[in-house]
Every structure is written in C-alpha cells, then in structure tokens.
Amino acid sequence: MTRLEGHCECKKVSFEIQQEIKYFSHCHCSQCRRSHGAAFASYIRAERSCFKYKSGEDSIKSYASSKNNKRIFCENCGSNVMFIDGRDPDGFYIAMGLINGEPDLPLAHHIFVGSKAPWHEINDDLRQHDGDPY
Ligand SMILES: [Zn+2]
Ligand SMILES: [Zn+2]
C-alpha cells in the first residue's frame, strides 16, 4: 500500500494518505494562482476515506472560493492544504507541494490552461486542457 505524508510550512497541520495516487494535475486557473501565489497549483486526488489528519485538524480554516468549492489552509502559516470540489464528494484535492519525499505519481496534466498567466510558459510535453476535463 502506498503511503504519502505531508505537512504545512509551520508543521502544525500534518496528514497521511494511504492509497495509490491516480490523479495529478497542475491547475492554471486564476483562483489557484492567487491562493497559491504561484504560476499554477499542483494537486493529487485522494479518496476521502484514505486521507487522515495526523495533527492540526483544529488549525485548519476554510475559504469558500465559489458556491460549491472550498479551499482549506493552515490558519497559522497560510499554507494551502487542499481544494474541495463540491462535484466530487469522495475526493480531496491535496496540494502536492505539502507532500514529503518522492512518491510514485502518475503523469500530471495541465488544466485550465485557458486562463493561465500570460507571463508563464508551459515547457513540458504533458497533456493540456483548456478547462477541467473531469
Ligand atoms: Zn501551518
Ligand atoms: Zn484551479
């Protein structure tokens, strides 16, 4: 069984995921860019039942970034922890930047490339989608 571990920048919030990861994306939408302060945000999907907080569950805050979606972050250091997509009641989209080490991952793809930052150029051969294909 694959086991991934991660924590926020201040280490208050830590978690583990026990499953093989099958989804990996780089999201270029403007909400991800702003909330991560970056050219894009990288996520893996975890089954909710395979995700467990190890510490800091009382230190998370959530922001409703749209009617059905929430962004979870550490109230102490501001690290993005996950994106919750209201259309996916079984999944959490975990911010890959919080994950330790070098876990096995599927090939990533770029999503919402239609709204990517004009100052950022995608230089790899990964698949690109204008929106979210799922
Ligand atoms: Zn933190
Ligand atoms: Zn996004």
Side-chain angles (χ1 to χ4, degrees):
M1 179 63 76
T2 311
R3 185 156 169 273
L4 291 81
E5 290 183 304
H7 61 78
C8 66
E9 164 62 12
C10 78
K11 298 187 174 157
K12 272 196 171 178
V13 179
S14 63
F15 56 85
E16 64 179 25
I17 301 164
Q18 295 213 39
Q19 71 171 91
E20 185 191 342
I21 301 302
K22 298 188 179 129
Y23 172 95
F24 181 26
S25 70
H26 302 306
C27 185
H28 295 259
C29 85
S30 62
Q31 290 183 316
C32 285
R33 288 195 280 114
R34 285 191 190 278
S35 64
H36 288 250
F40 54 86
S42 304
Y43 297 102
I44 52 174
R45 182 183 182 279
E47 291 291 331
R48 295 190 186 194
S49 59
C50 299
F51 175 93
K52 197 169 74 185
Y53 284 106
K54 290 165 67 185
S55 65
E57 197 170 353
D58 55 349
S59 296
I60 60 169
K61 286 268 188 288
S62 86
Y63 164 64
S65 55
S66 58
K67 195 166 148 243
N68 298 312
N69 301 334
K70 281 197 282 196
R71 292 168 188 275
I72 306 297
F73 59 95
C74 170
E75 68 174 358
N76 188 49
C77 68
S79 298
N80 284 277
V81 175
M82 69 171 80
F83 173 74
I84 299 180
D85 184 338
R87 299 169 308 169
D88 184 356
D90 299 323
F92 287 143
Y93 292 82
I94 312 298
M96 184 56 206
L98 274 61
I99 304 288
N100 302 335
E102 204 177 329
D104 283 337
L105 296 174
L107 274 185
H109 42 242
H110 296 279
I111 62 172
F112 289 102
V113 170
S115 44
K116 85 171 178 63
W119 40 264
H120 173 69
E121 195 180 328
I122 298 173
N123 288 319
D124 57 44
D125 298 326
L126 299 170
R127 288 186 66 184
Q128 298 186 18
H129 306 275
D130 271 347
D132 182 353
Y134 301 96

PDB file of all heavy atoms in Angstrom, residues 44-82:
ATOM      1  N   ILE A  44      -2.874  16.402  -6.074  1.00  0.00           N
ATOM      2  CA  ILE A  44      -3.186  14.987  -6.262  1.00  0.00           C
ATOM      3  C   ILE A  44      -4.559  14.743  -5.647  1.00  0.00           C
ATOM      4  O   ILE A  44      -4.949  15.430  -4.704  1.00  0.00           O
ATOM      5  CB  ILE A  44      -2.143  14.057  -5.599  1.00  0.00           C
ATOM      6  CG1 ILE A  44      -1.916  14.438  -4.132  1.00  0.00           C
ATOM      7  CG2 ILE A  44      -0.826  14.096  -6.378  1.00  0.00           C
ATOM      8  CD1 ILE A  44      -1.009  13.490  -3.378  1.00  0.00           C
ATOM      9  N   ARG A  45      -5.270  13.773  -6.223  1.00  0.00           N
ATOM     10  CA  ARG A  45      -6.574  13.434  -5.648  1.00  0.00           C
ATOM     11  C   ARG A  45      -6.397  12.276  -4.684  1.00  0.00           C
ATOM     12  O   ARG A  45      -5.753  11.276  -5.014  1.00  0.00           O
ATOM     13  CB  ARG A  45      -7.565  13.049  -6.733  1.00  0.00           C
ATOM     14  CG  ARG A  45      -8.961  12.725  -6.194  1.00  0.00           C
ATOM     15  CD  ARG A  45      -9.886  12.266  -7.317  1.00  0.00           C
ATOM     16  NE  ARG A  45     -11.234  11.996  -6.822  1.00  0.00           N
ATOM     17  CZ  ARG A  45     -11.610  10.869  -6.208  1.00  0.00           C
ATOM     18  NH1 ARG A  45     -10.729   9.884  -6.025  1.00  0.00           N
ATOM     19  NH2 ARG A  45     -12.851  10.709  -5.784  1.00  0.00           N
ATOM     20  N   ALA A  46      -6.981  12.447  -3.491  1.00  0.00           N
ATOM     21  CA  ALA A  46      -7.004  11.358  -2.513  1.00  0.00           C
ATOM     22  C   ALA A  46      -8.462  11.017  -2.233  1.00  0.00           C
ATOM     23  O   ALA A  46      -9.310  11.904  -2.125  1.00  0.00           O
ATOM     24  CB  ALA A  46      -6.322  11.785  -1.220  1.00  0.00           C
ATOM     25  N   GLU A  47      -8.741   9.717  -2.100  1.00  0.00           N
ATOM     26  CA  GLU A  47     -10.054   9.325  -1.605  1.00  0.00           C
ATOM     27  C   GLU A  47     -10.193   9.868  -0.183  1.00  0.00           C
ATOM     28  O   GLU A  47      -9.253   9.767   0.607  1.00  0.00           O
ATOM     29  CB  GLU A  47     -10.168   7.795  -1.554  1.00  0.00           C
ATOM     30  CG  GLU A  47     -10.211   7.109  -2.899  1.00  0.00           C
ATOM     31  CD  GLU A  47     -11.514   7.389  -3.641  1.00  0.00           C
ATOM     32  OE1 GLU A  47     -12.561   7.608  -2.975  1.00  0.00           O
ATOM     33  OE2 GLU A  47     -11.484   7.399  -4.880  1.00  0.00           O
ATOM     34  N   ARG A  48     -11.354  10.452   0.118  1.00  0.00           N
ATOM     35  CA  ARG A  48     -11.527  10.997   1.469  1.00  0.00           C
ATOM     36  C   ARG A  48     -11.289   9.938   2.532  1.00  0.00           C
ATOM     37  O   ARG A  48     -10.758  10.212   3.596  1.00  0.00           O
ATOM     38  CB  ARG A  48     -12.924  11.597   1.621  1.00  0.00           C
ATOM     39  CG  ARG A  48     -13.106  12.803   0.702  1.00  0.00           C
ATOM     40  CD  ARG A  48     -14.369  13.561   0.981  1.00  0.00           C
ATOM     41  NE  ARG A  48     -14.537  14.615  -0.022  1.00  0.00           N
ATOM     42  CZ  ARG A  48     -15.392  15.620   0.085  1.00  0.00           C
ATOM     43  NH1 ARG A  48     -16.178  15.705   1.139  1.00  0.00           N
ATOM     44  NH2 ARG A  48     -15.476  16.527  -0.870  1.00  0.00           N
ATOM     45  N   SER A  49     -11.692   8.703   2.211  1.00  0.00           N
ATOM     46  CA  SER A  49     -11.560   7.620   3.189  1.00  0.00           C
ATOM     47  C   SER A  49     -10.101   7.197   3.382  1.00  0.00           C
ATOM     48  O   SER A  49      -9.793   6.488   4.338  1.00  0.00           O
ATOM     49  CB  SER A  49     -12.383   6.413   2.735  1.00  0.00           C
ATOM     50  OG  SER A  49     -11.941   5.971   1.467  1.00  0.00           O
ATOM     51  N   CYS A  50      -9.205   7.622   2.482  1.00  0.00           N
ATOM     52  CA  CYS A  50      -7.788   7.242   2.587  1.00  0.00           C
ATOM     53  C   CYS A  50      -6.934   8.382   3.134  1.00  0.00           C
ATOM     54  O   CYS A  50      -5.725   8.244   3.273  1.00  0.00           O
ATOM     55  CB  CYS A  50      -7.241   6.845   1.212  1.00  0.00           C
ATOM     56  SG  CYS A  50      -8.088   5.426   0.495  1.00  0.00           S
ATOM     57  N   PHE A  51      -7.571   9.499   3.436  1.00  0.00           N
ATOM     58  CA  PHE A  51      -6.860  10.674   3.942  1.00  0.00           C
ATOM     59  C   PHE A  51      -7.100  10.805   5.437  1.00  0.00           C
ATOM     60  O   PHE A  51      -8.235  10.649   5.904  1.00  0.00           O
ATOM     61  CB  PHE A  51      -7.381  11.922   3.233  1.00  0.00           C
ATOM     62  CG  PHE A  51      -6.791  13.211   3.772  1.00  0.00           C
ATOM     63  CD1 PHE A  51      -5.657  13.757   3.198  1.00  0.00           C
ATOM     64  CD2 PHE A  51      -7.377  13.859   4.851  1.00  0.00           C
ATOM     65  CE1 PHE A  51      -5.111  14.935   3.699  1.00  0.00           C
ATOM     66  CE2 PHE A  51      -6.830  15.038   5.363  1.00  0.00           C
ATOM     67  CZ  PHE A  51      -5.696  15.575   4.781  1.00  0.00           C
ATOM     68  N   LYS A  52      -6.036  11.091   6.177  1.00  0.00           N
ATOM     69  CA  LYS A  52      -6.196  11.237   7.624  1.00  0.00           C
ATOM     70  C   LYS A  52      -5.289  12.344   8.150  1.00  0.00           C
ATOM     71  O   LYS A  52      -4.093  12.363   7.836  1.00  0.00           O
ATOM     72  CB  LYS A  52      -5.838   9.908   8.296  1.00  0.00           C
ATOM     73  CG  LYS A  52      -6.338   9.802   9.723  1.00  0.00           C
ATOM     74  CD  LYS A  52      -6.194   8.389  10.261  1.00  0.00           C
ATOM     75  CE  LYS A  52      -4.745   8.095  10.562  1.00  0.00           C
ATOM     76  NZ  LYS A  52      -4.443   6.743  10.980  1.00  0.00           N
ATOM     77  N   TYR A  53      -5.860  13.255   8.932  1.00  0.00           N
ATOM     78  CA  TYR A  53      -5.019  14.232   9.620  1.00  0.00           C
ATOM     79  C   TYR A  53      -4.268  13.532  10.729  1.00  0.00           C
ATOM     80  O   TYR A  53      -4.844  12.734  11.479  1.00  0.00           O
ATOM     81  CB  TYR A  53      -5.879  15.344  10.223  1.00  0.00           C
ATOM     82  CG  TYR A  53      -6.393  16.340   9.211  1.00  0.00           C
ATOM     83  CD1 TYR A  53      -7.731  16.350   8.814  1.00  0.00           C
ATOM     84  CD2 TYR A  53      -5.536  17.278   8.649  1.00  0.00           C
ATOM     85  CE1 TYR A  53      -8.196  17.261   7.883  1.00  0.00           C
ATOM     86  CE2 TYR A  53      -5.998  18.201   7.707  1.00  0.00           C
ATOM     87  CZ  TYR A  53      -7.322  18.183   7.335  1.00  0.00           C
ATOM     88  OH  TYR A  53      -7.781  19.079   6.408  1.00  0.00           O
ATOM     89  N   LYS A  54      -2.983  13.842  10.846  1.00  0.00           N
ATOM     90  CA  LYS A  54      -2.188  13.340  11.978  1.00  0.00           C
ATOM     91  C   LYS A  54      -2.102  14.388  13.072  1.00  0.00           C
ATOM     92  O   LYS A  54      -1.947  14.065  14.243  1.00  0.00           O
ATOM     93  CB  LYS A  54      -0.789  12.944  11.507  1.00  0.00           C
ATOM     94  CG  LYS A  54      -0.801  11.697  10.644  1.00  0.00           C
ATOM     95  CD  LYS A  54       0.494  11.505   9.889  1.00  0.00           C
ATOM     96  CE  LYS A  54       1.658  11.196  10.814  1.00  0.00           C
ATOM     97  NZ  LYS A  54       2.928  11.148  10.033  1.00  0.00           N
ATOM     98  N   SER A  55      -2.166  15.650  12.678  1.00  0.00           N
ATOM     99  CA  SER A  55      -2.174  16.734  13.668  1.00  0.00           C
ATOM    100  C   SER A  55      -2.789  17.975  13.027  1.00  0.00           C
ATOM    101  O   SER A  55      -2.862  18.090  11.806  1.00  0.00           O
ATOM    102  CB  SER A  55      -0.749  17.073  14.123  1.00  0.00           C
ATOM    103  OG  SER A  55      -0.005  17.595  13.040  1.00  0.00           O
ATOM    104  N   GLY A  56      -3.239  18.873  13.883  1.00  0.00           N
ATOM    105  CA  GLY A  56      -3.598  20.202  13.414  1.00  0.00           C
ATOM    106  C   GLY A  56      -4.964  20.348  12.774  1.00  0.00           C
ATOM    107  O   GLY A  56      -5.249  21.384  12.178  1.00  0.00           O
ATOM    108  N   GLU A  57      -5.814  19.343  12.909  1.00  0.00           N
ATOM    109  CA  GLU A  57      -7.135  19.477  12.298  1.00  0.00           C
ATOM    110  C   GLU A  57      -7.870  20.699  12.860  1.00  0.00           C
ATOM    111  O   GLU A  57      -8.693  21.305  12.167  1.00  0.00           O
ATOM    112  CB  GLU A  57      -7.945  18.198  12.501  1.00  0.00           C
ATOM    113  CG  GLU A  57      -9.122  18.135  11.550  1.00  0.00           C
ATOM    114  CD  GLU A  57      -9.820  16.780  11.533  1.00  0.00           C
ATOM    115  OE1 GLU A  57      -9.313  15.830  12.168  1.00  0.00           O
ATOM    116  OE2 GLU A  57     -10.880  16.699  10.888  1.00  0.00           O
ATOM    117  N   ASP A  58      -7.540  21.071  14.107  1.00  0.00           N
ATOM    118  CA  ASP A  58      -8.171  22.259  14.709  1.00  0.00           C
ATOM    119  C   ASP A  58      -7.500  23.555  14.260  1.00  0.00           C
ATOM    120  O   ASP A  58      -7.928  24.638  14.647  1.00  0.00           O
ATOM    121  CB  ASP A  58      -8.157  22.148  16.237  1.00  0.00           C
ATOM    122  CG  ASP A  58      -6.764  21.918  16.803  1.00  0.00           C
ATOM    123  OD1 ASP A  58      -5.828  21.632  16.023  1.00  0.00           O
ATOM    124  OD2 ASP A  58      -6.612  22.029  18.028  1.00  0.00           O
ATOM    125  N   SER A  59      -6.451  23.461  13.455  1.00  0.00           N
ATOM    126  CA  SER A  59      -5.763  24.659  12.950  1.00  0.00           C
ATOM    127  C   SER A  59      -6.113  24.968  11.509  1.00  0.00           C
ATOM    128  O   SER A  59      -5.524  25.864  10.912  1.00  0.00           O
ATOM    129  CB  SER A  59      -4.236  24.490  13.043  1.00  0.00           C
ATOM    130  OG  SER A  59      -3.834  24.365  14.381  1.00  0.00           O
ATOM    131  N   ILE A  60      -7.041  24.204  10.929  1.00  0.00           N
ATOM    132  CA  ILE A  60      -7.379  24.493   9.541  1.00  0.00           C
ATOM    133  C   ILE A  60      -8.562  25.451   9.472  1.00  0.00           C
ATOM    134  O   ILE A  60      -9.444  25.463  10.330  1.00  0.00           O
ATOM    135  CB  ILE A  60      -7.663  23.214   8.714  1.00  0.00           C
ATOM    136  CG1 ILE A  60      -8.826  22.426   9.295  1.00  0.00           C
ATOM    137  CG2 ILE A  60      -6.415  22.363   8.579  1.00  0.00           C
ATOM    138  CD1 ILE A  60      -9.301  21.314   8.390  1.00  0.00           C
ATOM    139  N   LYS A  61      -8.503  26.265   8.434  1.00  0.00           N
ATOM    140  CA  LYS A  61      -9.603  27.172   8.129  1.00  0.00           C
ATOM    141  C   LYS A  61     -10.033  26.867   6.707  1.00  0.00           C
ATOM    142  O   LYS A  61      -9.256  26.325   5.908  1.00  0.00           O
ATOM    143  CB  LYS A  61      -9.112  28.625   8.189  1.00  0.00           C
ATOM    144  CG  LYS A  61      -8.887  29.152   9.587  1.00  0.00           C
ATOM    145  CD  LYS A  61     -10.160  29.822  10.091  1.00  0.00           C
ATOM    146  CE  LYS A  61      -9.985  30.555  11.392  1.00  0.00           C
ATOM    147  NZ  LYS A  61      -9.818  29.679  12.551  1.00  0.00           N
ATOM    148  N   SER A  62     -11.283  27.215   6.385  1.00  0.00           N
ATOM    149  CA  SER A  62     -11.693  27.000   5.010  1.00  0.00           C
ATOM    150  C   SER A  62     -12.239  28.285   4.416  1.00  0.00           C
ATOM    151  O   SER A  62     -12.785  29.143   5.132  1.00  0.00           O
ATOM    152  CB  SER A  62     -12.706  25.868   4.922  1.00  0.00           C
ATOM    153  OG  SER A  62     -14.005  26.339   5.130  1.00  0.00           O
ATOM    154  N   TYR A  63     -12.036  28.414   3.140  1.00  0.00           N
ATOM    155  CA  TYR A  63     -12.479  29.576   2.385  1.00  0.00           C
ATOM    156  C   TYR A  63     -13.357  29.074   1.250  1.00  0.00           C
ATOM    157  O   TYR A  63     -12.937  28.188   0.488  1.00  0.00           O
ATOM    158  CB  TYR A  63     -11.253  30.340   1.847  1.00  0.00           C
ATOM    159  CG  TYR A  63     -11.562  31.315   0.751  1.00  0.00           C
ATOM    160  CD1 TYR A  63     -12.375  32.423   0.992  1.00  0.00           C
ATOM    161  CD2 TYR A  63     -11.034  31.143  -0.526  1.00  0.00           C
ATOM    162  CE1 TYR A  63     -12.670  33.322  -0.021  1.00  0.00           C
ATOM    163  CE2 TYR A  63     -11.324  32.047  -1.543  1.00  0.00           C
ATOM    164  CZ  TYR A  63     -12.134  33.131  -1.285  1.00  0.00           C
ATOM    165  OH  TYR A  63     -12.418  34.019  -2.292  1.00  0.00           O
ATOM    166  N   ALA A  64     -14.568  29.606   1.162  1.00  0.00           N
ATOM    167  CA  ALA A  64     -15.465  29.204   0.071  1.00  0.00           C
ATOM    168  C   ALA A  64     -15.101  30.019  -1.167  1.00  0.00           C
ATOM    169  O   ALA A  64     -15.485  31.172  -1.298  1.00  0.00           O
ATOM    170  CB  ALA A  64     -16.910  29.442   0.479  1.00  0.00           C
ATOM    171  N   SER A  65     -14.318  29.414  -2.058  1.00  0.00           N
ATOM    172  CA  SER A  65     -13.826  30.152  -3.226  1.00  0.00           C
ATOM    173  C   SER A  65     -14.885  30.250  -4.314  1.00  0.00           C
ATOM    174  O   SER A  65     -14.768  31.062  -5.218  1.00  0.00           O
ATOM    175  CB  SER A  65     -12.550  29.517  -3.766  1.00  0.00           C
ATOM    176  OG  SER A  65     -12.733  28.151  -4.053  1.00  0.00           O
ATOM    177  N   SER A  66     -15.904  29.419  -4.239  1.00  0.00           N
ATOM    178  CA  SER A  66     -17.074  29.552  -5.096  1.00  0.00           C
ATOM    179  C   SER A  66     -18.203  28.807  -4.409  1.00  0.00           C
ATOM    180  O   SER A  66     -18.013  28.250  -3.324  1.00  0.00           O
ATOM    181  CB  SER A  66     -16.791  29.026  -6.509  1.00  0.00           C
ATOM    182  OG  SER A  66     -16.397  27.687  -6.456  1.00  0.00           O
ATOM    183  N   LYS A  67     -19.365  28.806  -5.036  1.00  0.00           N
ATOM    184  CA  LYS A  67     -20.548  28.287  -4.359  1.00  0.00           C
ATOM    185  C   LYS A  67     -20.347  26.870  -3.823  1.00  0.00           C
ATOM    186  O   LYS A  67     -20.739  26.566  -2.696  1.00  0.00           O
ATOM    187  CB  LYS A  67     -21.727  28.326  -5.331  1.00  0.00           C
ATOM    188  CG  LYS A  67     -23.066  28.152  -4.668  1.00  0.00           C
ATOM    189  CD  LYS A  67     -24.199  28.540  -5.626  1.00  0.00           C
ATOM    190  CE  LYS A  67     -25.419  27.696  -5.349  1.00  0.00           C
ATOM    191  NZ  LYS A  67     -25.806  26.839  -6.479  1.00  0.00           N
ATOM    192  N   ASN A  68     -19.714  25.999  -4.610  1.00  0.00           N
ATOM    193  CA  ASN A  68     -19.602  24.601  -4.214  1.00  0.00           C
ATOM    194  C   ASN A  68     -18.207  24.176  -3.770  1.00  0.00           C
ATOM    195  O   ASN A  68     -18.023  23.033  -3.359  1.00  0.00           O
ATOM    196  CB  ASN A  68     -20.026  23.701  -5.381  1.00  0.00           C
ATOM    197  CG  ASN A  68     -21.472  23.933  -5.758  1.00  0.00           C
ATOM    198  OD1 ASN A  68     -22.340  23.966  -4.901  1.00  0.00           O
ATOM    199  ND2 ASN A  68     -21.726  24.131  -7.040  1.00  0.00           N
ATOM    200  N   ASN A  69     -17.256  25.084  -3.889  1.00  0.00           N
ATOM    201  CA  ASN A  69     -15.861  24.690  -3.669  1.00  0.00           C
ATOM    202  C   ASN A  69     -15.262  25.372  -2.451  1.00  0.00           C
ATOM    203  O   ASN A  69     -15.582  26.510  -2.149  1.00  0.00           O
ATOM    204  CB  ASN A  69     -15.020  25.027  -4.897  1.00  0.00           C
ATOM    205  CG  ASN A  69     -15.526  24.329  -6.141  1.00  0.00           C
ATOM    206  OD1 ASN A  69     -16.143  23.275  -6.054  1.00  0.00           O
ATOM    207  ND2 ASN A  69     -15.274  24.923  -7.286  1.00  0.00           N
ATOM    208  N   LYS A  70     -14.368  24.628  -1.794  1.00  0.00           N
ATOM    209  CA  LYS A  70     -13.710  25.178  -0.601  1.00  0.00           C
ATOM    210  C   LYS A  70     -12.210  24.965  -0.696  1.00  0.00           C
ATOM    211  O   LYS A  70     -11.744  23.946  -1.218  1.00  0.00           O
ATOM    212  CB  LYS A  70     -14.215  24.462   0.659  1.00  0.00           C
ATOM    213  CG  LYS A  70     -15.557  24.966   1.111  1.00  0.00           C
ATOM    214  CD  LYS A  70     -15.846  24.553   2.539  1.00  0.00           C
ATOM    215  CE  LYS A  70     -16.269  23.117   2.629  1.00  0.00           C
ATOM    216  NZ  LYS A  70     -16.904  22.757   3.891  1.00  0.00           N
ATOM    217  N   ARG A  71     -11.484  25.902  -0.133  1.00  0.00           N
ATOM    218  CA  ARG A  71     -10.035  25.800  -0.045  1.00  0.00           C
ATOM    219  C   ARG A  71      -9.661  25.761   1.429  1.00  0.00           C
ATOM    220  O   ARG A  71     -10.064  26.618   2.200  1.00  0.00           O
ATOM    221  CB  ARG A  71      -9.375  26.991  -0.745  1.00  0.00           C
ATOM    222  CG  ARG A  71      -9.596  26.930  -2.243  1.00  0.00           C
ATOM    223  CD  ARG A  71      -9.219  28.199  -2.966  1.00  0.00           C
ATOM    224  NE  ARG A  71      -9.635  28.101  -4.352  1.00  0.00           N
ATOM    225  CZ  ARG A  71      -8.916  27.535  -5.315  1.00  0.00           C
ATOM    226  NH1 ARG A  71      -7.716  27.078  -5.045  1.00  0.00           N
ATOM    227  NH2 ARG A  71      -9.386  27.444  -6.543  1.00  0.00           N
ATOM    228  N   ILE A  72      -8.900  24.742   1.781  1.00  0.00           N
ATOM    229  CA  ILE A  72      -8.529  24.503   3.171  1.00  0.00           C
ATOM    230  C   ILE A  72      -7.081  24.939   3.362  1.00  0.00           C
ATOM    231  O   ILE A  72      -6.216  24.568   2.565  1.00  0.00           O
ATOM    232  CB  ILE A  72      -8.658  22.992   3.506  1.00  0.00           C
ATOM    233  CG1 ILE A  72     -10.061  22.467   3.158  1.00  0.00           C
ATOM    234  CG2 ILE A  72      -8.285  22.710   4.950  1.00  0.00           C
ATOM    235  CD1 ILE A  72     -11.175  23.082   3.925  1.00  0.00           C
ATOM    236  N   PHE A  73      -6.839  25.716   4.412  1.00  0.00           N
ATOM    237  CA  PHE A  73      -5.471  26.200   4.649  1.00  0.00           C
ATOM    238  C   PHE A  73      -5.171  26.223   6.142  1.00  0.00           C
ATOM    239  O   PHE A  73      -6.077  26.186   6.979  1.00  0.00           O
ATOM    240  CB  PHE A  73      -5.284  27.591   4.031  1.00  0.00           C
ATOM    241  CG  PHE A  73      -6.226  28.635   4.561  1.00  0.00           C
ATOM    242  CD1 PHE A  73      -5.836  29.473   5.598  1.00  0.00           C
ATOM    243  CD2 PHE A  73      -7.505  28.783   4.037  1.00  0.00           C
ATOM    244  CE1 PHE A  73      -6.696  30.447   6.098  1.00  0.00           C
ATOM    245  CE2 PHE A  73      -8.377  29.751   4.541  1.00  0.00           C
ATOM    246  CZ  PHE A  73      -7.976  30.581   5.568  1.00  0.00           C
ATOM    247  N   CYS A  74      -3.889  26.298   6.465  1.00  0.00           N
ATOM    248  CA  CYS A  74      -3.451  26.370   7.866  1.00  0.00           C
ATOM    249  C   CYS A  74      -3.639  27.791   8.362  1.00  0.00           C
ATOM    250  O   CYS A  74      -3.151  28.738   7.749  1.00  0.00           O
ATOM    251  CB  CYS A  74      -1.993  25.941   7.963  1.00  0.00           C
ATOM    252  SG  CYS A  74      -1.291  26.262   9.601  1.00  0.00           S
ATOM    253  N   GLU A  75      -4.309  27.944   9.483  1.00  0.00           N
ATOM    254  CA  GLU A  75      -4.572  29.295   9.997  1.00  0.00           C
ATOM    255  C   GLU A  75      -3.306  29.959  10.522  1.00  0.00           C
ATOM    256  O   GLU A  75      -3.239  31.166  10.653  1.00  0.00           O
ATOM    257  CB  GLU A  75      -5.618  29.258  11.109  1.00  0.00           C
ATOM    258  CG  GLU A  75      -5.124  28.582  12.364  1.00  0.00           C
ATOM    259  CD  GLU A  75      -6.100  28.671  13.521  1.00  0.00           C
ATOM    260  OE1 GLU A  75      -7.158  29.289  13.370  1.00  0.00           O
ATOM    261  OE2 GLU A  75      -5.769  28.105  14.578  1.00  0.00           O
ATOM    262  N   ASN A  76      -2.304  29.168  10.833  1.00  0.00           N
ATOM    263  CA  ASN A  76      -1.073  29.742  11.384  1.00  0.00           C
ATOM    264  C   ASN A  76      -0.122  30.217  10.296  1.00  0.00           C
ATOM    265  O   ASN A  76       0.365  31.333  10.346  1.00  0.00           O
ATOM    266  CB  ASN A  76      -0.380  28.714  12.279  1.00  0.00           C
ATOM    267  CG  ASN A  76       0.791  29.299  13.021  1.00  0.00           C
ATOM    268  OD1 ASN A  76       0.674  30.363  13.635  1.00  0.00           O
ATOM    269  ND2 ASN A  76       1.931  28.642  12.967  1.00  0.00           N
ATOM    270  N   CYS A  77       0.156  29.373   9.303  1.00  0.00           N
ATOM    271  CA  CYS A  77       1.161  29.746   8.296  1.00  0.00           C
ATOM    272  C   CYS A  77       0.551  30.059   6.937  1.00  0.00           C
ATOM    273  O   CYS A  77       1.247  30.544   6.046  1.00  0.00           O
ATOM    274  CB  CYS A  77       2.214  28.648   8.160  1.00  0.00           C
ATOM    275  SG  CYS A  77       1.605  27.121   7.432  1.00  0.00           S
ATOM    276  N   GLY A  78      -0.716  29.766   6.738  1.00  0.00           N
ATOM    277  CA  GLY A  78      -1.374  30.099   5.476  1.00  0.00           C
ATOM    278  C   GLY A  78      -1.156  29.105   4.357  1.00  0.00           C
ATOM    279  O   GLY A  78      -1.644  29.321   3.246  1.00  0.00           O
ATOM    280  N   SER A  79      -0.442  28.011   4.605  1.00  0.00           N
ATOM    281  CA  SER A  79      -0.235  27.026   3.536  1.00  0.00           C
ATOM    282  C   SER A  79      -1.571  26.475   3.049  1.00  0.00           C
ATOM    283  O   SER A  79      -2.428  26.108   3.859  1.00  0.00           O
ATOM    284  CB  SER A  79       0.583  25.830   4.051  1.00  0.00           C
ATOM    285  OG  SER A  79       1.861  26.204   4.474  1.00  0.00           O
ATOM    286  N   ASN A  80      -1.722  26.372   1.750  1.00  0.00           N
ATOM    287  CA  ASN A  80      -2.872  25.680   1.186  1.00  0.00           C
ATOM    288  C   ASN A  80      -2.720  24.200   1.451  1.00  0.00           C
ATOM    289  O   ASN A  80      -1.671  23.624   1.150  1.00  0.00           O
ATOM    290  CB  ASN A  80      -2.911  25.891  -0.327  1.00  0.00           C
ATOM    291  CG  ASN A  80      -3.409  27.263  -0.678  1.00  0.00           C
ATOM    292  OD1 ASN A  80      -4.598  27.489  -0.729  1.00  0.00           O
ATOM    293  ND2 ASN A  80      -2.477  28.185  -0.898  1.00  0.00           N
ATOM    294  N   VAL A  81      -3.743  23.591   1.983  1.00  0.00           N
ATOM    295  CA  VAL A  81      -3.681  22.160   2.282  1.00  0.00           C
ATOM    296  C   VAL A  81      -4.437  21.353   1.229  1.00  0.00           C
ATOM    297  O   VAL A  81      -3.935  20.366   0.720  1.00  0.00           O
ATOM    298  CB  VAL A  81      -4.231  21.868   3.696  1.00  0.00           C
ATOM    299  CG1 VAL A  81      -4.285  20.372   3.968  1.00  0.00           C
ATOM    300  CG2 VAL A  81      -3.384  22.573   4.753  1.00  0.00           C
ATOM    301  N   MET A  82      -5.634  21.802   0.918  1.00  0.00           N
ATOM    302  CA  MET A  82      -6.402  21.058  -0.089  1.00  0.00           C
ATOM    303  C   MET A  82      -7.502  21.921  -0.682  1.00  0.00           C
ATOM    304  O   MET A  82      -7.887  22.958  -0.134  1.00  0.00           O
ATOM    305  CB  MET A  82      -7.017  19.785   0.504  1.00  0.00           C
ATOM    306  CG  MET A  82      -8.128  20.057   1.501  1.00  0.00           C
ATOM    307  SD  MET A  82      -9.013  18.546   1.979  1.00  0.00           S
ATOM    308  CE  MET A  82      -7.894  17.847   3.194  1.00  0.00           C
TER     309      MET A  82
END
